[in-house]
C-alpha cells in the first residue's frame, strides 16, 4: 500500500495563525561544539502546523487531547476535492459523497498556500451551515488543508458547531499530492495531558497496489537511512 505523508514540516518558516506562538528550534547541545550529542529545545503552540482541535480548545470542561479515543483518529477516510470554492457550505457539500463517511478530509486550493511566506487570511474554509451539514451527515472527524477550518474572523462559530457535536478537527494538512477518494487515515497527535490541541503526524494509506520496484513511502519530509 502507498503511504502519503500529509503533515507540514515544523520549522521557523511555517506560517502560524495570528496570535499563536511561532515555532523555534534552539540548539542546547551540539557535537560540533564538543558536546556528546545534539540536543535542541523547541518552542511552539499547541495548534502549530498539522494539529488537532479537541473540545478543550473552546471549553474548559471539554475533553482534552489525551482523552480522545484513538479510533477517531485512525480508520477509513474520504478525501473530497473542492475546486474554486472558498466558502464550503451546505449547498456545496450536498452534491458531494459526504453522508455515511465518518472521516472527511477537504482538499481545497489551500494546499498551495504553504509555499507562501506568512499567514494568508483568504483561505478556503467551512461555513457554519456547512459544519451543521457535516454534523447531520454523521461525520466524526473533518480535516482541511490550512490552519483553521473556520473563516478568518468567524472561526469560533464553526469550531463550536463541530466540537460540540463531537467532531474532531484536523487542521494544517498538505493535500497537494493527494487524489480524491478513499484512504486509511493514521493520525497520532502528541499526548499532551490536559491539552487543548496538539501537533500531529498525519498519514494517508491508499488501497492501491504499489508497482514492483517502487517505494511504498512518499518521502514528503525528510531522508532516512534505510540501509
Amino acid at each position: 500500500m502507498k503511504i502519503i505523508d500529509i503533515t507540514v514540516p515544523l520549522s521557523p518558516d511555517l506560517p502560524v495563525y495570528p496570535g499563536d506562538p511561532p515555532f523555534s528550534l534552539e540548539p542546547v547541545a551540539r557535537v560540533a561544539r564538543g558536546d556528546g550529542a545534539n540536543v535542541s529545545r523547541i518552542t511552539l503552540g499547541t495548534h502549530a502546523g498539522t494539529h488537532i482541535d479537541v473540545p478543550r480548545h473552546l471549553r474548559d470542561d471539554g475533553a482534552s487531547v489525551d482523552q480522545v479515543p484513538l479510533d477517531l483518529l485512525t480508520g477509513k477516510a474520504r478525501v473530497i476535492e473542492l475546486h474554486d470554492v472558498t466558502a464550503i457550505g451546505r449547498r456545496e457539500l450536498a452534491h458531494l459523497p459526504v453522508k455515511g463517511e465518518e472521516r472527511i478530509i477537504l482538499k481545497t486550493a489551500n494546499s498551495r498556500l504553504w509555499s507562501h511566506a506568512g499567514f494568508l487570511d483568504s483561505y478556503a474554509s467551512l461555513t457554519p451551515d456547512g459544519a451543521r451539514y457535516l454534523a447531520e451527515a454523521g461525520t466524526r472527524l473533518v480535516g482541511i488543508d490550512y490552519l483553521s477550518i473556520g473563516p478568518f474572523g468567524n472561526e469560533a462559530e464553526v469550531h463550536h458547531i463541530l466540537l460540540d457535536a463531537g467532531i474532531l478537527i484536523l487542521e494544517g494538512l498538505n493535500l497537494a499530492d493527494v487524489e480524491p477518494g478513499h484512504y486509511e487515515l493514521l493520525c497520532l497527535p502528541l499526548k499532551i495531558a490536559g491539552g487543548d490541541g496538539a501537533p500531529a503526524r498525519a498519514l494517508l494509506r491508499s488501497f492501491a497496489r504499489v508497482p514492483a520496484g517502487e517505494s511504498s513511502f512518499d518521502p514528503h519530509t525528510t531522508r532516512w537511512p534505510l540501509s
Side-chain angles (χ1 to χ4, degrees):
M1 295 183 179
K2 184 177 182 180
I3 297 175
I4 307 171
D5 190 353
I6 56 174
T7 315
V8 296
L10 290 169
S11 80
D13 298 324
L14 179 71
V16 295
Y17 196 84
D20 283 4
F23 176 88
S24 68
L25 181 69
E26 176 188 353
V28 174
R30 283 293 178 264
V31 172
R33 298 192 309 225
D35 298 317
N38 292 316
V39 178
S40 303
R41 177 186 296 111
I42 59 173
T43 303
L44 74 166
T46 49
H47 301 265
T50 304
H51 65 276
I52 66 166
D53 289 353
V54 297
R56 183 68 60 89
H57 185 33
L58 297 179
R59 300 190 184 280
D60 289 339
D61 59 350
S64 56
V65 171
D66 54 314
Q67 297 171 333
V68 172
L70 291 180
D71 65 348
L72 292 179
L73 295 162
T74 57
K76 184 179 175 183
R78 181 135 195 178
V79 175
I80 294 176
E81 187 168 10
L82 296 104
H83 293 286
D84 303 320
V85 177
T86 55
I88 306 169
R90 179 180 295 269
R91 183 177 62 180
E92 289 75 23
L93 293 171
H95 301 291
L96 297 169
V98 169
K99 291 186 176 180
E101 302 287 351
E102 290 188 337
R103 300 169 192 85
I104 296 292
I105 298 177
L106 302 172
K107 178 182 178 180
T108 73
N110 290 343
S111 287
R112 298 196 294 265
L113 301 182
W114 294 117
S115 61
H116 291 265
F119 176 82
L120 297 174
D121 61 13
S122 56
Y123 57 87
S125 60
L126 196 63
T127 66
D129 73 316
R132 294 187 188 94
Y133 183 85
L134 291 180
E136 295 164 7
T139 305
R140 302 177 69 201
L141 176 146
V142 59
I144 199 164
D145 46 0
Y146 207 52
L147 292 171
S148 178
I149 198 166
F152 186 71
N154 189 30
E155 302 90 343
E157 183 177 4
V158 170
H159 281 74
H160 270 295
I161 293 169
L162 295 173
L163 295 173
D164 288 350
I167 301 173
L168 286 180
I169 303 170
L170 176 56
E171 297 172 326
L173 300 173
N174 185 353
L175 303 172
D177 299 325
V178 179
E179 296 296 326
H182 279 116
Y183 296 85
E184 180 185 10
L185 173 67
L186 304 169
C187 176
L188 295 178
L190 295 176
K191 191 174 182 179
I192 302 174
D196 51 77
R201 188 69 179 264
L203 308 173
L204 291 177
R205 185 158 57 181
S206 74
F207 300 99
R209 287 185 174 271
V210 178
E214 291 187 14
S215 171
S216 63
F217 178 67
D218 184 0
H220 208 72
T221 54
T222 190
R223 294 173 294 175
W224 185 256
L226 298 178
S227 62

